[in-house]
Amino acid sequence: MTKITIRRFDRNVVQALTNRGFPEPLARALAARHVTSPSDLDYEFKEMLSPWDLKNCKEAGEAIADAIWKQKNIVIIGDYDCDGATAVSVGILGLQALGAFNVSYLIPDRDKDGYGLSPQLVDRAAAAGAEFIITVDNGISSVAAVEHAKALGIETVVTDHHLPGDEIPDTLVVNPNQRGDTFPSKSLAGVGVIFYVLIAVRSALRAKGAYPNGKQPNLQHLIDLVALGTVADVVPLDRNNRILVSKGLDSIRAGKMQPGVSALLSVAGKNAHRICANDLGYILGPRINAAGRLDSINKGVECLTSYDYNTALFYAKELDQINAERRNREVSMQSDAILSLQTISVDDSNSIVLKGDDWHAGIIGLVASRIKEQTYRPVIAFAPSEENGEHVLKGSGRSIPGIHLRDALDRVSKLKPGLILKFGGHAMAAGLTIRKDAFDEFKELFARAVKELSDPEMFERNIVTDGELRASDFNTELVEAIRKHVWGQAFPEPLFANQFKVLSQRVLKDQHLKLSLEVDGREIQAIWFRHKRELPPTVHLAYKLDINDFRGRQSVQLIIEGMEDEFEDWTA
């Protein structure tokens, strides 16, 4: 079932914001997101949280500054997603700007090495001459690897943002989520953490007399990469993260961006002057992530760290081609998954577990996400893989609100110890590995675990909106006012809902529904992506506002996000 509800908001705050010139629908949305005054939307750098409140940031800055001062060979160890690639790039470009001459990087191979700093990766860094290792977007669980580095005489600083386990590495760790850290924001992405550390490095170098003329390097030129990694990693956009993203977008719109970002925008056909946070997450981020899924994330790093635009464009074109391949494979795998659903009674199931013999392990998370959206059930998708010479199944899962995916996997591991070879993750997403012959048993036990951890009402989809719009509100001025703000995870873009008459409907490219709708006598165009089913004459729809620019003529277009359930059974 699907229902549409309205977020609560403080009417006094709405009045205060409208008195300051905010359109009333936007004021409602901001008030519902706990904005209390225009000052909450002040996203200047001076409003950033202080790096000195981040545990070990000052000490890590001093240690890295000392390594630069002594011209040590520094190796950055990253991760194979967009946050990892941008964090590595910010680390390289930032350290070089601060005077480091010997900086290189290593990123583990998704299939061969697994995630994060490992002893074998330390050996590869040592073979490359590493004297100092900095992890970015990983390392909080790399206890054995840090000890191995110590044994080889290599100093390590860990910068990460993931939740720690019972034991953390015995070295300087900068992570807002580590125990004892009182940093007000726990939502920094990996790229945000290394950006903070670089500020501390610059301060330590300044204390050493590295900038005798008083002119220190300006690290703000990295903010476009910080914004890209922050949005792409889907971390909650609290106020501090919104500052980082807002300043990054300002920089890109002003044409002050890395050549790699400019090149990615070019191959994507996006206008830098009109870029918004969604473009970072849905246009640029996937091109970086695709390399980590199907090829080598190194191509993403080389693109983002290129000082020359033509070199960056070469890599951007490669990333674009890899992303096109990713889309094709994803479409094929999704088709297989949808066919598999025909053998399942979704309404009678509390979970969906699927596998494909020719599925790619780097894409199964995307498939799980799509099927989760379609079925509103926790979904785990498996693909064949090989680990230490053994044929296994690698799985990636996505969940729905209220059902903690990692806890469900932990429950399975307790119901049948050894069934899951390894797993990790959090409430909404997780990964795991099982033996190839354990699929059916896992499927049964996972359904049992989800049943034990859930209530029936959790499987009812609730689309939370910001209420109705009047016919006069459907104007480009409101859309532009919304676009001026930063939206994302935990600070979602305004979503409205109205009852409409359906004037006409047709399917585009055999997958998207193009609609002409009417509300209070006004006709409005809309599109519902990845939806082909015919709608009834009257519908209650949830939607976002967009602008359709056709031959220089701009008009409001609705992006449909969902439909209330009472209408979904109309054709049954």
Side-chain angles (χ1 to χ4, degrees):
M1 293 182 64
T2 300
K3 61 180 179 179
I4 293 176
T5 58
I6 301 174
R7 290 186 179 89
R8 294 182 177 182
F9 57 86
D10 188 324
R11 294 188 182 278
N12 292 325
V13 173
V14 173
Q15 187 62 54
L17 291 173
T18 53
N19 289 343
R20 295 291 296 271
F22 288 81
E24 192 271 345
L26 174 57
R28 284 198 327 249
L30 291 170
R33 288 150 185 76
H34 308 297
V35 170
T36 58
S37 70
S39 62
D40 292 340
L41 303 170
D42 183 357
Y43 297 148
E44 295 303 316
F45 275 118
K46 61 183 175 61
E47 299 295 326
M48 270 178 60
L49 295 172
S50 170
W52 316 127
D53 293 335
L54 186 57
K55 184 178 179 180
N56 292 334
C57 190
K58 181 175 183 294
E59 293 78 5
E62 291 171 345
I64 296 170
D66 190 60
I68 294 173
W69 197 257
K70 294 176 180 177
Q71 297 187 19
K72 288 187 175 181
N73 190 336
I74 301 172
V75 176
I76 299 174
I77 306 293
D79 186 22
Y80 38 68
D81 66 359
C82 187
D83 185 21
T86 53
V88 168
S89 300
V90 165
I92 292 171
L93 296 173
L95 291 176
Q96 289 175 343
L98 293 171
F101 295 105
N102 307 306
V103 185
S104 58
Y105 70 95
L106 281 174
I107 300 178
D109 182 278
R110 180 189 290 267
D111 295 321
K112 298 177 182 176
D113 301 313
Y115 166 77
L117 181 67
S118 60
Q120 59 265 34
L121 210 60
V122 170
D123 285 336
R124 282 162 56 188
E131 299 172 281
F132 196 102
I133 286 175
I134 303 171
T135 73
V136 294
D137 193 32
N138 76 94
I140 193 65
S141 60
S142 301
V143 177
V146 169
E147 288 304 312
H148 185 54
K150 278 184 184 178
L152 297 178
I154 303 172
E155 189 175 354
T156 304
V157 166
V158 168
T159 78
D160 201 352
H161 70 122
H162 295 98
L163 295 175
D166 295 332
E167 186 180 5
I168 67 171
D170 182 21
T171 191
L172 280 171
V173 174
V174 186
N175 182 338
N177 290 299
Q178 67 178 306
R179 285 177 290 277
D181 196 321
T182 59
F183 191 67
S185 171
K186 303 300 179 184
S187 301
L188 282 176
V191 69
V193 177
I194 188 61
F195 182 66
Y196 265 83
V197 170
L198 288 174
I199 295 172
V201 174
R202 184 179 62 185
S203 176
L205 286 169
R206 186 170 60 242
K208 285 178 174 290
Y211 315 117
N213 60 2
K215 189 175 182 180
Q216 62 183 14
N218 187 345
L219 297 174
Q220 292 181 17
H221 75 287
L222 303 172
I223 198 65
D224 57 333
L225 299 181
V226 178
L228 172 56
T230 298
V231 174
D233 211 46
V234 203
V235 293
L237 291 189
D238 59 13
R239 187 176 180 225
N240 198 62
N241 275 341
R242 295 202 304 277
I243 291 170
L244 297 175
V245 173
S246 178
K247 298 308 290 185
L249 290 172
D250 286 348
S251 184
I252 295 172
R253 290 168 185 154
K256 299 176 181 178
M257 67 194 106
Q258 302 300 324
V261 173
S262 178
L264 285 169
L265 287 170
S266 177
V267 298
K270 295 299 296 185
N271 184 340
H273 301 301
R274 294 184 57 80
I275 193 172
C276 64
N278 272 346
D279 295 325
L280 299 180
Y282 292 104
I283 303 296
L284 301 193
R287 285 169 166 77
I288 304 292
N289 280 325
R293 295 180 189 279
L294 297 181
D295 197 289
S296 168
I297 196 67
N298 289 25
K299 291 180 178 178
V301 175
E302 293 302 316
C303 177
L304 297 177
T305 56
S306 297
Y307 287 99
D308 172 68
Y309 176 80
N310 289 329
T311 302
L313 186 61
F314 169 82
Y315 285 108
K317 288 178 178 178
E318 284 204 355
L319 293 172
D320 193 54
Q321 291 172 357
I322 296 169
N323 190 50
E325 180 186 353
R326 186 273 305 168
R327 281 197 301 266
N328 290 336
R329 289 202 185 191
E330 184 185 348
V331 168
S332 174
M333 288 166 60
Q334 283 178 28
S335 297
D336 290 347
I338 291 170
L339 284 175
S340 298
L341 286 180
Q342 295 178 3
T343 65
I344 301 170
S345 176
V346 174
D347 290 341
D348 298 328
S349 304
N350 61 23
S351 61
I352 307 292
V353 179
L354 305 167
K355 71 180 174 76
D357 293 336
D358 58 352
W359 287 2
H360 193 288
I363 301 178
I364 49 176
L366 301 176
V367 172
S369 181
R370 294 292 190 206
I371 300 302
K372 183 262 296 185
E373 291 174 8
Q374 180 173 330
T375 63
Y376 205 67
R377 297 290 188 273
V379 176
I380 294 182
F382 284 98
S385 186
E386 189 173 323
E387 203 165 271
N388 300 320
E390 181 183 1
H391 292 289
V392 296
L393 291 174
K394 282 195 173 181
S396 185
R398 299 294 184 269
S399 193
I400 60 177
I403 301 175
H404 197 296
L405 192 55
R406 190 194 179 282
D407 287 354
L409 295 177
D410 185 58
R411 181 67 180 144
V412 172
S413 72
K414 288 179 171 60
L415 289 170
K416 183 66 181 290
L419 180 67
I420 302 179
L421 300 177
K422 62 181 180 180
F423 70 95
H426 50 83
M428 302 302 287
L432 70 156
T433 303
I434 63 174
R435 295 187 311 277
K436 195 173 182 180
D437 60 359
F439 177 80
D440 291 333
E441 188 174 11
F442 171 83
K443 184 176 180 179
E444 178 183 340
L445 291 178
F446 182 68
R448 177 178 165 185
V450 171
K451 182 178 181 180
E452 292 175 355
L453 294 171
S454 64
D455 296 316
E457 60 268 21
M458 291 179 180
F459 300 101
E460 297 180 4
R461 191 192 308 262
N462 181 23
I463 303 176
V464 185
T465 73
D466 296 294
E468 293 186 351
L469 290 184
R470 299 164 299 182
S472 59
D473 291 326
F474 292 97
N475 57 72
T476 56
E477 289 77 17
L478 176 58
V479 185
E480 292 292 356
I482 291 172
R483 281 184 171 180
K484 289 179 181 177
H485 295 273
V486 173
W487 311 100
Q489 184 71 9
F491 199 81
E493 183 179 348
L495 183 68
F496 303 102
N498 283 73
Q499 191 149 316
F500 297 94
K501 291 181 181 178
V502 178
L503 301 179
S504 67
Q505 53 186 309
R506 58 191 174 93
V507 177
L508 302 179
K509 299 180 179 179
D510 197 34
Q511 55 180 333
H512 311 306
L513 192 61
K514 186 76 172 70
L515 299 160
S516 180
L517 305 171
E518 181 185 307
V519 59
D520 294 335
R522 177 163 184 175
E523 184 175 346
I524 303 164
Q525 301 304 304
I527 189 164
W528 194 341
F529 292 110
R530 294 185 299 277
H531 184 98
K532 297 188 291 184
R533 185 176 166 191
E534 183 181 357
L535 304 189
T538 303
V539 285
H540 191 201
L541 299 173
Y543 58 89
K544 292 178 181 177
L545 293 173
D546 193 23
I547 292 179
N548 181 30
D549 195 336
F550 182 68
R551 295 178 179 174
R553 183 172 176 268
Q554 292 189 336
S555 60
V556 174
Q557 176 177 258
L558 310 186
I559 308 297
I560 307 302
E561 296 289 327
M563 177 171 63
E564 197 156 57
D565 188 71
E566 63 177 290
F567 298 108
E568 291 197 354
D569 293 331
W570 177 74
T571 58

